[in-house]
Amino acid sequence: MNSEPSWDLYRTFLAVLREQSLSGAARSLGLTQPTVSRHIDALESLVGYDLFIRSQRGLSPTEAAEDLRPYAETLAATTAALVRAASSHGKEVRGPVRLSVSEVVGVEIVPAILADLRARHPDLVIELVLSDAVDDLIRRDADIAVRMVEPTQEALLARRVGTIELGLHAHRSYIERRGVPASLADFRGHDLIGFDRETPAIRAMLKQMRFITRDHFALRADSNLAQFAAIKAGFGIGVCQVQLARREPDLVRVLPEEVSLGLPTYVVMHEDLKSSPRCRVVFDALAAGLAAHIRAV
Amino acid sequence: MNSEPSWDLYRTFLAVLREQSLSGAARSLGLTQPTVSRHIDALESLVGYDLFIRSQRGLSPTEAAEDLRPYAETLAATTAALVRAASSHGKEVRGPVRLSVSEVVGVEIVPAILADLRARHPDLVIELVLSDAVDDLIRRDADIAVRMVEPTQEALLARRVGTIELGLHAHRSYIERRGVPASLADFRGHDLIGFDRETPAIRAMLKQMRFITRDHFALRADSNLAQFAAIKAGFGIGVCQVQLARREPDLVRVLPEEVSLGLPTYVVMHEDLKSSPRCRVVFDALAAGLAAHIRAV
DNA sequence: CAGAGTTCATGCATTTTAGTATAGCGACCG
DNA sequence: CGGTCGCTATACTAAAATGCATGAACTCTG
């Protein structure tokens, strides 16, 4: 137990965890393999036990190393956030802003908003992360996020932009081929598009459709984007955002009375960043753009 | 914009922020002043602007440096957590566990629980932090926390241990001198002990005592511990935990019907740590100890 | 089964980084 | 007002970390 080790050891440690080899880690860090090797040696002699099992085709992490991984990941995310914050100090709107949104929102909604924003601020750089993880902001994986649950952390600044509505939809070609189900019970004879693994959000949805379980699905996909694409391709009936479906002339809503779920939608940002002009601008643009999207008929 | 800088620069940066001088930072880090100076120089040339204003009596951080501070603090907390996690790997219950509890809980309740625990596990080391900050766990400032609000982060493992009840109390000597107030309106003629700055928790309490405002207090202290001590010293009437007051033979409860507030109490831990025996043991001991304390007559 | 392409480990030279010593400047105190 | 003490900045030296070159072991492929 010497004095605290160099923080660089943790960076190397994480790289080795990710690359599963000293050589790979060295490449990704811009170092050489012996250096990486020495870093890991130092870390291991520091903690007093082995972190990796060496072999000729790489290093495989021990259980202990995996336990330490989340800390190292947090460190990496935080240094990245620090660099982002540092690289864009000042009153101008410039530098990187890291954005975390869901797949569907990131592909179908925000690009237009960002394009418009970028036109107004040519020095703005957007890093777009497609993720639903709620703690992205706390862990500094992102500066700004769009989330469908109300944020409860005090350190977060949230603005509600309306309610995204989910509903059942199908392509016109499918409806012409198979007809419209008259009721939920009528689903038995239809091709349903649904989830693969169950998540809390999905459980809420299922409460409305008690007859439906995972077994009824003819296509199972966890990606909402893939589900949406399947609906548009006429594969069958599935859930998607009502506001998005309206933009597609050939999508029709199915059983709007029986199945509807509103997702309160928020733009969320760390409170620390509210004094940052570039984050402020992106935050406001997102809030305005999403609100307009949600209100659109 | 070179390749990523050494993470050690961030550590030095934080030390300089804290010590407000290169020499002080060097002392706290076990480095020398020129080294620290070079680190700061490197960081400044990297971000492209000044982080500190040099003077003969130290360095004062610029606004930009203060903006970066929270990131550096997170880094420090995370490395510390990593070291803690690393230093206690294995099946035995040993090594440090960092505990974050409120002042009152930390002084009046937990010590007994910890003493008992330590007797059973002599290799356990407890780091006790007296804090109410809700994000201590996410930021890895602590491994385990006792909180009076329900945690909402998914990554947290929480166990409810009961409800801590708050009520008005006074020392017998005070009551003998001044009598018991007959109603809330009767408080005017009494010496009240209360808060200095208003917090969300206090606002909830105040709803029950609409007649009372900050101006009525004869003693204002933000420290609940100081308030409790003042009550015990016979200074006047104040709010404290009912379960704690019961242990003091000379404390009597005032207006139990009119003023009562239940705080749902949780022991909270990061989900990552549930596989760590030492954390598990502390978590369970806290849960059991607090539950027993709350149930005690 | 041999050769190409990986991997990690090790010895040595070099570069980088840290430490030592010192000078200069300002504040504080008697 | 002079002496002391603290701070930072700079030149020089020592140490430490890195890179290079190489060797040995293993995998994959033709």
Side-chain angles (χ1 to χ4, degrees), chain B residues 136-150:
Chain B
D136 274 353
L137 288 181
I138 302 288
R139 289 204 33 219
R140 308 275 189 182
D141 272 335
D143 299 320
I144 302 177
V146 175
R147 289 290 111 97
M148 274 67 174
V149 289
E150 182 173 1

Side-chain angles (χ1 to χ4, degrees), chain B residues 126-143:
Chain B
I126 303 287
E127 302 176 12
L128 190 59
V129 183
L130 300 189
S131 156
D132 267 330
V134 194
D135 58 344
D136 274 353
L137 288 181
I138 302 288
R139 289 204 33 219
R140 308 275 189 182
D141 272 335
D143 299 320

Side-chain angles (χ1 to χ4, degrees), chain B:
Chain B
M1 282 296 159
N2 218 342
S3 78
E4 209 192 350
S6 162
W7 286 6
D8 285 336
L9 297 189
Y10 306 133
R11 170 167 60 179
T12 304
F13 170 67
L14 179 61
V16 174
L17 270 177
R18 287 178 171 165
E19 304 289 332
Q20 304 257 325
S21 91
L22 298 181
S23 315
R27 277 190 297 273
S28 85
L29 291 170
L31 300 175
T32 57
Q33 171 262 322
T35 300
V36 173
S37 175
R38 284 186 285 255
H39 280 185
I40 298 300
D41 287 346
L43 207 54
E44 286 183 331
S45 76
L46 211 87
V47 302
Y49 47 83
D50 285 357
L51 291 170
F52 297 93
I53 300 165
R54 273 93 167 154
S55 79
Q56 274 74 9
R57 67 179 173 291
L59 276 70
S60 76
T62 64
E63 196 182 330
E66 284 296 353
D67 288 346
L68 299 182
R69 180 176 208 140
Y71 300 96
E73 295 278 8
T74 301
L75 289 176
T78 308
T79 56
L82 191 154
V83 169
R84 244 179 293 137
S87 73
S88 59
H89 183 258
K91 276 150 226 69
E92 321 108 75
V93 176
R94 53 178 299 280
V97 175
R98 200 172 166 88
L99 206 59
S100 170
V101 302
S102 74
E103 271 190 344
V104 174
V105 173
V107 171
E108 300 287 344
I109 306 177
V110 212
I113 299 173
L114 295 180
D116 179 55
L117 183 66
R118 167 82 183 184
R120 288 202 310 272
H121 301 286
D123 292 331
L124 204 57
V125 176
I126 303 287
E127 302 176 12
L128 190 59
V129 183
L130 300 189
S131 156
D132 267 330
V134 194
D135 58 344
D136 274 353
L137 288 181
I138 302 288
R139 289 204 33 219
R140 308 275 189 182
D141 272 335
D143 299 320
I144 302 177
V146 175
R147 289 290 111 97
M148 274 67 174
V149 289
E150 182 173 1
T152 53
Q153 291 293 120
E154 290 186 23
L156 298 182
L157 184 70
R159 187 181 305 165
R160 178 155 183 182
V161 294
T163 302
I164 285 185
E165 199 183 344
L166 297 183
L168 288 172
H169 293 82
H171 194 268
R172 191 177 307 277
S173 68
Y174 176 86
I175 300 289
E176 284 164 2
R177 223 165 59 236
R178 307 285 296 271
V180 182
S183 71
L184 281 173
D186 205 20
F187 273 164
R188 302 274 154 137
H190 276 275
D191 296 344
L192 299 186
I193 301 166
F195 59 87
D196 186 20
R197 286 167 303 183
E198 207 167 295
T199 68
I202 287 169
R203 257 181 287 264
M205 190 79 196
L206 283 179
K207 281 183 187 166
Q208 290 204 9
M209 322 171 26
R210 349 190 83 241
F211 303 103
I212 309 298
T213 72
R214 186 171 174 283
D215 303 326
H216 296 97
F217 298 138
L219 174 61
R220 296 179 194 142
D222 280 333
S223 161
N224 294 321
L225 208 50
Q227 292 185 16
F228 187 49
I231 296 172
K232 287 194 288 187
F235 181 96
I237 303 174
V239 173
C240 72
Q241 298 184 12
V242 172
Q243 286 95 340
L244 276 182
R246 286 209 191 106
R247 304 196 311 200
E248 308 284 335
D250 289 329
L251 287 192
V252 294
R253 183 152 181 198
V254 176
L255 295 177
E257 308 299 326
E258 281 83 354
V259 178
S260 172
L261 181 67
L263 299 177
T265 304
Y266 300 82
V267 182
V268 194
M269 173 168 79
H270 217 100
E271 211 168 34
D272 297 341
L273 297 174
K274 74 180 170 202
S275 63
S276 157
R278 76 192 195 290
C279 287
R280 199 71 218 202
V281 162
V282 175
F283 184 89
D284 291 340
L286 271 179
L290 284 171
H293 167 76
I294 288 173
R295 276 197 313 271
V297 190

Side-chain angles (χ1 to χ4, degrees), chain A residues 5-8 11 49 86 138 152, chain B residues 5-8 49 86 138 152:
Chain A
S6 163
W7 286 7
D8 285 336
R11 171 166 60 180
Y49 47 83
I138 304 288
T152 53
Chain B
S6 162
W7 286 6
D8 285 336
Y49 47 83
I138 302 288
T152 53

Side-chain angles (χ1 to χ4, degrees), chain A residues 120-195:
Chain A
R120 290 201 310 269
H121 300 287
D123 292 330
L124 205 57
V125 176
I126 303 287
E127 301 176 13
L128 191 60
V129 183
L130 300 190
S131 155
D132 268 331
V134 194
D135 58 344
D136 275 354
L137 288 180
I138 304 288
R139 290 205 31 221
R140 308 278 190 181
D141 273 335
D143 299 320
I144 302 177
V146 176
R147 288 290 113 96
M148 273 67 172
V149 290
E150 184 172 0
T152 53
Q153 292 291 121
E154 288 185 23
L156 298 183
L157 185 69
R159 188 180 303 167
R160 176 156 185 182
V161 293
T163 303
I164 285 184
E165 200 183 342
L166 297 182
L168 288 172
H169 294 81
H171 194 268
R172 192 177 306 279
S173 68
Y174 176 86
I175 300 289
E176 284 164 2
R177 221 164 63 236
R178 308 285 297 270
V180 182
S183 73
L184 281 175
D186 207 20
F187 272 166
R188 302 273 154 136
H190 276 275
D191 297 344
L192 298 187
I193 302 166
F195 59 85

